[in-house]
Amino acid sequence: MSLRKSVLSWLGAGAAVLLMASTALGQTGTISGQVTDEATGAPLVGVQVAVVGTNLSVGTNENGRYLILNVPAGEHQVRASLIGYGPQSATVTVRAGETAAQNFALQISAIELASVVVTATGEQQQLREIGSSVGVINVEDVALAPVQSMSDLLQGRSAGMTVLKSSGGTGTGSRIRIRGSNSISLSNEPLLVIDGVRVDNDPTFLGFGVGGQQPSRFNDLNPENIESIEILKGPAASALYGTAAANGVIQVTTKKGRAGAPQFRAWAELGRIENVVDFPTNHVALDAGGNFCPVFVQAQGACTPVETYQADPLDAEATSPYTTGNFRTLGASVSGGSNEATYYVSGEVTTEDGVYDDGESFGEGFDDMDDLRRINVRANLTGRLSDKLSLGSSVGFVETDLELPQADNALFGIIGMGLTAAPTPEAVENNFGYESPPQAHYDWITSQDVSRFTGSITADWRPVPWLSVHGTGGLDRTATGELNRIPRESFYNIFGGIYSEGWIQRFDYDIYRFDSNVSGTATFEPIEGLVSTTTVGSQYLREDFSRIYAFGATLLPGVETSLAGATTDFSTGEDNILNSTLSAYAQQRFGWQDRVFVNFAVRGDQNTAFGTDIGWIWYPSVSSSWVISEESFFPETPLVSTLRLRAAYGQAGLRPGATDALLSFSGEVGVLNNEPVPAFTIDELGNLELKPERSTEWELGFESGFLDDKLGLDVTYFSKSSRDALVDQPLPGSPGGSDSRWVNLARVDNSGLEVLLRGQPVRTDRVQWDFTVSASWIKNELVDLGNDAQGEPIPPIIFGLRSTQRHAEGHPLGSWFQRPIEEFSDANGDGMIEPDEVVLGDSAQFLGSPFPSREVSLGSSVYVSDWLRISALFDYRGGFELIDFTGGWRCALSLSCADAYDANAPLEKQAAIAALAEYGTWAGFVEDADFVKFRELSVTLNVPQEFARRIGSDGLSLTLAGRNLATWTGYSGLDPEVSFQGQANFTSGEFFTLPPTRAFTLRVDANF
């Protein structure tokens, strides 16, 4: 019998036995009460109240009240816990058929041991029970006014997680890394789980591209609908997610209704978006023959400048393509219910016009191309069908229309056209100071329309107090339509061919992800004080990807977006990919006196992407947690009020590409006896032994509370090794065959330290001040790249713009490598550097990593009574380098920067320009990219209740906020944070990329 059948049979047989056993058990009672804030007496909403040693737990309603049914008669320990508060326990005696009352008054705490985390099995556990590091973001504590996306919400709020905003383009995404990069060839993005269901988090590459940036499906999530986020930072915490979790897991729990009268809420935002860049001035010096005369040519005596010209096409009021953008958001929600059923329903409409204008400065007929329109709807329902069975559903729908301009590395990106132009009078007159007519930029239209449905159904059955059965089924479906168009009458007519009278290109994608998970959890107390929790379960995942491509040229007059109006050069294509995973898992937990915890778990996966010679892949994990401060021998002192020690070990994986293990062919036309015949060639050789990449991680850490938990310190050291990393192994050449195949060869290591410090130094009736400092230090290294088919070491993998990056043993993944400038000197004393005065190294050398190795974030909030809140967030990143491709291109290749012609420019700068222009090395443009950014500032004023009631509101607040307010850096390019290749795995650099924009927001929130 297969493992899956064995698991399901066990669950079925166990359920039948338990049903019979439930009739033989003694009668039960009820526990009820209220949970309040000890300092203010205000009721606390969403407090988790649990009967320790059972699977019984509930949350408090809007009045802070709770009701726990079916509690076995006898004496029980009941615990109340809420994020931001210290847990509190009490002993309660329950009598059959009666209700026992127990109230709790919780104290504010800077240590988060009371936070409740949803695990991979669907259970809820307190952080005190988990031996691994888990980052928790309580969205209610975040000022949402400066947060415009899910990426913004995560930025700077969890130690060890790096959120890299790639550009300031509307709708573009961010690279997210948790504890470094693990894989050379596969995605390093974390797994995303919403309400227990795995959803699509892959960067969305436009089929045709706009120069490097991509939209982000991650940002389909609306922060308004999120209740909490848990960050499982690596295999030590995410092992039960198996072959998808080596990069960590982001678990999102959306808002649910609570018992009580309907609570109506409405919000509106009006925002202003600004381009913060002062673009450098274009400069050119010409000799008597009208030729460019840069310094490194002057130094050789080959030219003498006689004319100079300057222009600022990107900044000049008459020719700038930038304007002040804006965004508008309007949303509402309603929640409520009873003890039998609750609901939460919300809707939001967002419109954003980015900082690119519509081209009216250059004439009529130019279209907008930097716009976002989004509708976001969510409905979450829960219902208790009986005292033992409850059901829940979570449904989200988002529709997005996005238009993007050509940018970054695109030939007709407006920044590239503006910064590489020679500002001669003729060029300014003909092209407004741009390299090509701006019409070339505005005629290229790119759009993406997305309709996405994400839904799940959950069921919880508790036939007896010591057993719970949890089931989840979910679907994430994304339908995407992409359009690329050049109109019939355009700048591109001059190229002829398919451009002569326009063309249309379409990509239609349909992506389905189905997730089903069922588990059973039995909780016993074999001896007094020892709680045993056993969970077994099974999961099935299926991903279907389909794409249809079509192209047509020579458009009929009046045709805008329909391929039916194309008349020539037709081409079509289709792709269909299926991947599925079958899993089984088991977990055993022991808890002693609610302060010592040990967890053992294992998960097995079988995936269709594995080679046929690979069976089940197993991922074990073990962890321990000891709240030592609750031991009788621990000294009672306010200096160290809480201390927990923890350790964890675990493994998780990344599956190969869906077709990497397969032998594949291409159809061809052959010739036999001078006649055409059907034939084929081998595309990929496949690999029957291909298996997932496996990451093994261990971590040690502690949490400590000081001064009666007014100050909390969380420290974690981790070490992670990713083995069997996929490498495209070179093979000996053979007629009709591939020259490489995917093989599990490489090893990548990551290690580091994470520190989280929380404090509430001031808490009075009138003023409260809290702060959070998160910091991390990470070392990433490619340890081994493996051998080729002949047993020889595989040489470094070279990639990136102008082959500037490498995966090389002994260095971080994606490192910068170039021939270094070893020395330079002004030998003849003329103040100018010529190429012969620059000495380069013989070969490319390591020049730095494109990813930060250290980060520090500081967030702080001040509350004045109940009418004012001020919050701010600062973000530091260091220990990384960035190539200023923009500066290098302008100064050494297009020769449009001032330094190229300035004989008084620093000799180091002159040497960098000469080395790139004459020898092709970018070494002089690799810069330290450390920076500090003022990410967020918000000021919220709560309108007095008397005034709010006059307009029918129970609560009204106004918020003024700003984002990306300032940057401090020694980097000389446009911005040290950007990447011209968007969310690409490793390819990076600043190359005519619009930096993150500055936004100001006015927000109104009203409750009814």
Side-chain angles (χ1 to χ4, degrees):
M1 180 181 293
S2 69
L3 179 59
R4 183 190 183 206
K5 291 183 178 179
S6 298
V7 170
L8 295 178
S9 299
W10 183 92
L11 289 173
V17 172
L18 293 168
L19 275 174
M20 293 184 291
S22 65
T23 61
L25 294 176
Q27 294 183 344
T28 61
T30 301
I31 302 176
S32 69
Q34 186 181 37
V35 186
T36 58
D37 184 305
E38 184 184 63
T40 66
L44 295 177
V45 181
V47 179
Q48 197 71 21
V49 185
V51 181
V52 178
T54 73
N55 292 316
L56 302 174
S57 66
V58 297
T60 57
N61 65 12
E62 60 177 349
N63 298 313
R65 304 203 64 84
Y66 71 93
L67 178 69
I68 306 177
L69 304 174
N70 299 318
V71 183
E75 191 174 271
H76 297 279
Q77 184 181 19
V78 180
R79 181 176 60 214
S81 55
L82 179 66
I83 296 176
Y85 288 81
Q88 191 177 105
S89 298
T91 300
V92 179
T93 300
V94 177
R95 294 182 174 85
E98 298 183 4
T99 297
Q102 179 61 54
N103 296 329
F104 296 92
L106 304 186
Q107 291 182 329
I108 290 286
S109 173
I111 189 168
E112 293 287 8
L113 297 186
S115 300
V116 176
V117 175
V118 179
T119 69
T121 65
E123 303 171 77
Q124 291 185 335
Q125 285 184 264
Q126 282 197 324
L127 279 182
R128 64 190 285 122
E129 303 175 82
I130 300 173
S132 56
S133 175
V134 178
V136 178
I137 301 174
N138 182 20
V139 180
E140 290 186 359
D141 294 336
V142 178
L144 291 182
V147 172
Q148 301 303 316
S149 67
M150 182 67 175
S151 299
D152 292 346
L153 181 60
L154 294 179
Q155 200 162 47
R157 290 188 170 88
S158 183
M161 180 170 61
T162 302
V163 180
L164 300 166
K165 180 67 174 175
S166 57
S167 84
T170 297
T172 56
S174 302
R175 285 188 294 193
I176 299 175
R177 298 289 183 268
I178 300 177
R179 291 184 174 175
S181 299
N182 302 304
S183 179
I184 295 172
S185 307
L186 303 177
S187 172
N188 285 284
E189 296 281 328
L191 175 67
L192 178 60
V193 178
I194 302 177
D195 292 333
V197 175
R198 303 185 186 200
V199 300
D200 182 18
N201 186 32
D202 292 333
T204 303
F205 287 88
L206 292 166
F208 33 80
V210 290
Q213 303 301 322
Q214 301 93 35
S216 172
R217 296 282 64 83
F218 186 78
N219 288 333
D220 288 341
L221 276 167
N222 184 1
E224 296 286 350
N225 294 327
I226 299 174
E227 183 171 291
S228 65
I229 301 171
E230 291 103 36
I231 315 297
L232 309 185
K233 298 181 181 179
S238 62
L240 275 176
Y241 281 102
T243 310
N247 300 326
V249 181
I250 298 176
Q251 295 183 158
V252 175
T253 300
T254 60
K255 292 179 179 179
K256 308 294 190 295
R258 296 185 174 93
Q263 299 292 308
F264 294 92
R265 178 171 164 260
W267 61 92
E269 289 185 354
L270 182 63
R272 172 190 176 97
I273 308 173
E274 297 177 351
N275 170 36
V276 299
V277 182
D278 290 325
F279 291 102
T281 298
N282 287 345
H283 190 107
V284 68
L286 306 179
D287 63 15
N291 302 307
F292 290 3
C293 188
V295 169
F296 62 86
V297 179
Q298 296 176 36
Q300 301 174 72
C303 72
T304 300
V306 296
E307 293 181 296
T308 60
Y309 300 100
Q310 295 182 353
D312 295 284
L314 293 175
D315 283 334
E317 183 177 351
T319 59
S320 173
Y322 297 104
T323 185
T324 299
N326 64 82
F327 59 88
R328 301 167 296 282
T329 297
L330 186 64
S333 69
V334 59
S335 63
S338 64
N339 289 329
E340 284 70 39
T342 63
Y343 57 88
Y344 171 84
V345 180
S346 78
E348 183 182 87
V349 178
T350 298
T351 300
E352 180 175 328
D353 297 321
V355 295
Y356 285 98
D357 75 4
D358 57 9
E360 289 183 356
S361 299
F362 310 112
E364 298 181 357
F366 293 101
D367 294 326
D368 292 337
M369 53 170 54
D370 187 28
D371 303 325
L372 173 70
R373 307 289 184 267
R374 177 174 288 158
I375 299 174
N376 218 311
V377 179
R378 175 158 292 276
N380 292 344
L381 307 174
T382 62
R384 193 174 69 196
L385 303 187
S386 70
D387 291 344
K388 300 177 180 180
L389 178 64
S390 62
L391 295 177
S393 66
S394 176
V395 176
F397 176 78
V398 60
E399 184 171 277
T400 303
D401 297 328
L402 175 66
E403 293 188 8
L404 288 174
Q406 296 290 302
D408 303 280
N409 195 30
L411 178 61
F412 295 109
I414 197 68
I415 294 181
M417 290 168 55
L419 291 182
T420 60
T424 62
E426 295 80 6
V428 171
E429 180 180 356
N430 294 333
N431 296 330
F432 299 90
Y434 290 85
E435 181 70 16
S436 299
Q439 184 187 0
H441 175 74
Y442 287 95
D443 279 348
W444 198 301
I445 308 300
T446 301
S447 66
Q448 183 188 74
D449 300 331
V450 175
S451 295
R452 183 175 186 181
F453 170 87
T454 302
S456 64
I457 297 177
T458 60
D460 287 285
W461 179 44
R462 291 183 171 87
V464 288
W466 53 269
L467 175 75
S468 65
V469 179
H470 177 83
T472 300
L475 173 68
D476 179 35
R477 190 245 177 157
T478 305
T480 304
E482 297 177 354
L483 172 70
N484 201 25
R485 175 177 68 91
I486 289 178
R488 178 182 172 87
E489 300 295 333
S490 75
F491 162 82
Y492 297 92
N493 296 156
I494 64 175
F495 294 110
I498 62 171
Y499 294 101
S500 60
E501 295 184 57
W503 52 259
I504 292 175
Q505 186 181 36
R506 294 195 67 96
F507 287 86
D508 289 326
Y509 301 85
D510 217 344
I511 303 173
Y512 285 84
R513 290 174 178 253
F514 173 73
D515 184 351
S516 62
N517 192 354
V518 61
S519 64
T521 301
T523 304
F524 299 93
E525 192 171 9
I527 61 174
E528 185 176 356
L530 178 65
V531 176
S532 170
T533 304
T534 305
T535 301
V536 295
S538 181
Q539 185 175 36
Y540 176 71
L541 303 164
R542 179 186 173 102
E543 302 172 29
D544 288 277
F545 171 91
S546 63
R547 182 186 73 167
I548 296 176
Y549 161 81
F551 177 91
T554 313
L555 306 181
L556 295 173
V559 171
E560 293 290 333
T561 60
S562 174
L563 274 167
T567 60
T568 66
D569 298 278
F570 295 107
S571 64
T572 59
E574 183 175 4
D575 295 300
N576 293 282
I577 300 174
L578 166 67
N579 181 263
S580 60
T581 305
L582 178 63
S583 307
Y585 55 85
Q587 179 175 248
Q588 176 62 52
R589 307 198 310 268
F590 293 104
W592 173 252
Q593 298 292 340
D594 198 32
R595 58 179 178 266
V596 180
F597 307 92
V598 180
N599 301 327
F600 304 92
V602 64
R603 176 183 172 113
D605 283 353
Q606 177 60 278
N607 185 277
T608 55
F610 299 168
T612 55
D613 291 346
I614 303 298
W616 286 77
I617 301 295
W618 297 94
Y619 303 103
S621 63
V622 59
S623 68
S624 60
S625 171
W626 184 14
V627 188
I628 192 173
S629 58
E630 296 182 2
E631 297 287 358
S632 58
F633 59 78
F634 193 85
E636 294 187 9
T637 168
L639 179 61
V640 182
S641 44
T642 302
L643 179 62
R644 178 175 79 122
L645 308 178
R646 51 182 170 77
Y649 166 89
Q651 295 184 351
L654 291 175
R655 67 167 175 82
T659 61
D660 289 347
L662 302 179
L663 177 64
S664 61
F665 306 91
S666 288
E668 303 287 349
V669 177
V671 178
L672 180 63
N673 297 326
N674 296 320
E675 295 291 334
V677 295
F680 66 86
T681 58
I682 298 174
D683 274 348
E684 300 291 341
L685 290 174
N687 184 353
L688 299 181
E689 298 180 350
L690 201 64
K691 54 188 176 182
E693 299 184 358
R694 181 188 293 266
S695 293
T696 301
E697 180 183 58
W698 61 268
E699 64 175 51
L700 300 171
F702 69 87
E703 288 98 7
S704 183
F706 303 93
L707 305 176
D708 291 326
D709 288 350
K710 290 183 179 178
L711 190 67
L713 177 65
D714 183 334
V715 178
T716 302
Y717 174 80
F718 71 91
S719 180
K720 178 171 55 174
S721 181
S722 300
R723 298 175 182 268
D724 298 327
L726 289 177
V727 176
D728 199 15
Q729 183 190 52
L731 297 174
S734 62
S738 173
D739 59 359
S740 66
R741 69 170 182 167
W742 290 106
V743 181
N744 299 99
L745 293 176
R747 172 185 166 186
V748 179
D749 285 357
N750 288 276
S751 61
L753 183 69
E754 299 165 353
V755 177
L756 180 64
L757 179 66
R758 291 191 180 96
Q760 296 170 338
V762 178
R763 181 172 173 81
T764 68
D765 293 340
R766 296 183 61 84
V767 179
Q768 177 182 329
W769 171 39
D770 58 49
F771 69 86
T772 301
V773 179
S774 64
S776 62
W777 294 263
I778 296 176
K779 179 184 178 182
N780 174 263
E781 181 183 355
L782 173 58
V783 177
D784 185 9
L785 198 51
N787 298 327
D788 62 20
Q790 284 78 37
E792 297 295 325
I794 292 177
I797 299 172
I798 301 174
F799 65 97
L801 183 63
R802 297 299 176 101
S803 301
T804 51
Q805 292 181 261
R806 294 189 183 187
H807 298 315
E809 292 181 358
H811 299 286
L813 291 175
S815 293
W816 305 113
F817 272 80
Q818 286 287 278
R819 291 179 65 191
I821 299 174
E822 294 189 341
E823 62 178 281
F824 57 87
S825 62
D826 180 17
N828 57 15
D830 63 357
M832 296 184 290
I833 296 293
E834 59 181 279
D836 289 344
E837 295 175 328
V838 179
V839 179
L840 301 184
D842 293 333
S843 60
Q845 295 182 16
F846 171 72
L847 298 179
S849 168
F851 293 98
S853 61
R854 56 182 182 267
E855 297 187 53
V856 181
S857 293
L858 169 62
S860 184
S861 295
V862 175
Y863 302 81
V864 180
S865 296
D866 59 353
W867 63 273
L868 179 65
R869 170 181 174 175
I870 303 173
S871 298
L873 177 66
F874 293 84
D875 194 9
Y876 161 77
R877 293 183 193 152
F880 73 114
E881 287 72 32
L882 191 68
I883 288 189
D884 181 9
F885 287 115
T886 300
W889 197 280
R890 297 181 69 243
C891 292
L893 302 180
S894 68
L895 299 177
S896 56
C897 84
D899 283 338
Y901 303 97
D902 185 2
N904 296 316
L907 297 183
E908 182 179 9
K909 190 71 171 181
Q910 292 187 42
I913 295 172
L916 177 55
E918 293 295 321
Y919 306 122
T921 179
W922 292 83
F925 292 90
V926 178
E927 295 189 35
D928 184 333
D930 293 12
F931 67 82
V932 174
K933 291 211 172 192
F934 190 176
R935 292 286 186 194
E936 298 174 6
L937 176 66
S938 66
V939 179
T940 300
L941 176 67
N942 293 318
V943 176
Q945 287 287 341
E946 296 78 7
F947 179 81
R949 291 193 184 101
R950 292 179 184 177
I951 60 173
S953 173
D954 295 329
L956 183 65
S957 66
L958 303 176
T959 301
L960 179 63
R963 185 168 187 83
N964 290 328
L965 297 176
T967 300
W968 296 273
T969 182
Y971 177 75
S972 64
L974 298 181
D975 191 280
E977 189 176 18
V978 300
S979 171
F980 81 94
Q981 201 60 26
Q983 296 160 264
N985 224 9
F986 294 103
T987 304
S988 191
E990 183 228 299
F991 192 41
F992 304 133
T993 302
L994 179 70
T997 53
R998 179 179 297 148
F1000 294 98
T1001 306
L1002 176 63
R1003 178 184 172 103
V1004 179
D1005 285 276
N1007 297 319
F1008 301 92

